[in-house]
Amino acid sequence: MIIPAAPVPWPGRARAAASFSFDLDAESAILFADPSSATRMSVMTHQSYGPLVGVPRLLRLLEHHRIRATFFVPGYSAHRHPGAVRDIVAAGHEVAHHGYLHETLTGVDPVTEAGYLDRGLAALEEVAGVRPVGYRAPMWELNYHSPGLLAERGFLYDSSLMDADVPYELATATAAGPTSLVEIPLQWALDDWEQYCYLPGISGSGLIETPAKALALWRAEFDAMRAEGGCFVLTCHPFLSGRPSRAAALGELLAAAAGAPDVWVASLAEIAGHVRSLGLAPRELPPPEPW
Ligand SMILES: [Zn+2]
C-alpha cells in the first residue's frame, strides 16, 4: 500500500511554500529529440533565445522581486552558453542538474543513465564550479532506479514526480543500502511548455496561449496551494517565458508570491534542506505489481 505524503510544517509564520524553477533546455532538448534539427538555423535560434535574452531578462525580474530561484541546467547548455550559467550563479540562484543533452530516460538502463548524470555533473563543475544538490529528469521522466543513482552521487533532492502537493522523503535503494532523497513534486499544469511551446515538426500542440491565460491558470493554483498549505512549484523555460509579454505576466505572479506574508518563497534547495531537517519517515513508492 502506498501511503500519501503528510502535510509539511513550513518555517516561521509560513503556511505554504512557493518556488520558481527554470529549465535551461536551450538547444539540448531539441537536439536530443531530433538530432537533424542541428541543421535548422531558425529553430536553433529560437532555443538560444533562452540563454541569450531570456535569462538576462528573468534575472532582472527575480532581482526586482528579491526571489531566489532554481535553474536546472543540462550540461550541454552550460558548455554552449557558459556566460548565462555563470550569470545565474553570480546572481545568487541555485544551479541544479538536468541531464547532459536533456536525455529522455524512458527505458534507459542504470549504467547508461549513470553516464548521463556524471557527464552533466562534470559540465556544471567545469563551467560554473557548481556541485548541484538538486536534480530534475529531462522531460520529467524518472525511472524507478533513478533515485538510487542520485543518492549514490550525493544529491539531496529530486523534483520530477507528481503524487503529492508537498515535498517528502522518498525511500531510496543504493548499492550501500537504503537511504532517502527529498522529493519536491511538480505537475504539468505548472509548466510553461504546455502553454507556449510551438516548434514545427518537433514539439507542441501548435497552440500558443496568451500570457493572460497562463497567468490565470498558475495564479489559481498558487492561491489554492496557499490555502492548502502546499508547495507551489512553477517551471518555466527561458526560451519561452523569457519573451517580453510572458516575462511581464510571470512578474505579476512573482509579485503576488513575494507579497504573500504567509508564503515561504525559496529555492528548491532551500526547501529540500528544510524538509530534510524535519526527519520525516521515508515513503516507499514501489513500481506497479504485474497484472
Ligand atoms: Zn527540460
Side-chain angles (χ1 to χ4, degrees):
M1 188 178 81
I2 302 176
I3 298 169
V8 168
W10 299 111
R13 295 188 302 135
R15 62 169 177 161
S19 196
F20 294 89
S21 64
F22 298 88
D23 293 0
L24 192 60
D25 295 354
E27 296 94 334
S28 67
I30 309 311
L31 292 172
F32 184 79
D34 179 6
S36 71
S37 65
T39 64
R40 297 174 65 179
M41 190 175 183
S42 295
V43 168
M44 289 297 99
T45 59
H46 180 261
Q47 299 308 112
S48 63
Y49 183 92
L52 297 176
V53 184
V55 166
R57 177 173 290 130
L58 293 166
L59 290 180
R60 291 194 298 273
L61 197 61
L62 291 164
E63 182 180 17
H64 177 75
H65 294 287
R66 300 181 183 280
I67 286 175
R68 185 178 301 128
T70 299
F71 286 77
F72 290 92
V73 181
Y76 185 86
S77 294
H79 276 149
R80 188 163 166 85
H81 303 285
V85 179
R86 291 179 192 135
D87 287 347
I88 290 166
V89 173
H93 301 291
E94 177 193 3
V95 166
H97 197 301
H98 198 42
Y100 184 78
L101 194 65
H102 204 273
E103 300 91 351
T104 306
L105 300 178
T106 313
V108 171
D109 66 86
V111 173
T112 304
E113 186 173 331
Y116 297 156
L117 283 174
D118 292 338
R119 196 177 178 198
L121 284 171
L124 296 180
E125 172 68 42
E126 179 190 335
V127 170
V130 167
R131 175 78 190 192
V133 300
Y135 178 77
R136 174 172 288 159
M139 307 306 291
W140 304 2
E141 288 277 3
L142 216 58
N143 288 314
Y144 278 90
H145 59 243
S146 305
L149 297 175
L150 296 171
E152 286 167 359
R153 283 159 181 76
F155 282 89
L156 168 64
Y157 78 89
D158 168 74
S159 180
S160 314
L161 302 179
M162 312 196 195
D163 66 342
D165 294 334
V166 290
Y168 54 88
E169 290 279 356
L170 171 65
T172 306
T174 70
T179 181
S180 66
L181 196 65
V182 173
E183 174 60 37
I184 307 175
L186 37 57
Q187 52 163 310
W188 281 304
L190 296 180
D191 181 356
D192 68 349
W193 192 288
E194 280 66 30
Q195 307 304 320
Y196 299 142
C197 192
Y198 172 65
L199 285 162
I202 298 174
S203 179
S205 63
L207 284 176
I208 297 177
E209 302 288 359
T210 65
K213 183 257 194 179
L215 177 61
L217 177 69
W218 300 339
R219 179 61 197 260
E221 186 69 0
F222 173 81
D223 290 342
M225 275 290 201
R226 181 181 179 184
E228 292 277 345
C231 183
F232 173 91
V233 179
L234 184 70
T235 299
C236 292
H237 297 75
F239 75 88
L240 296 170
S241 285
R243 299 273 173 184
S245 62
R246 299 168 182 171
L250 177 61
E252 291 185 41
L253 187 58
L254 294 176
D262 56 349
V263 176
W264 181 41
V265 183
S267 70
L268 291 173
E270 291 172 301
I271 290 174
H274 168 70
V275 171
R276 176 54 52 86
S277 76
L278 299 173
L280 304 175
R283 296 178 65 219
E284 303 277 352
L285 292 185
E289 294 83 5
W291 57 92

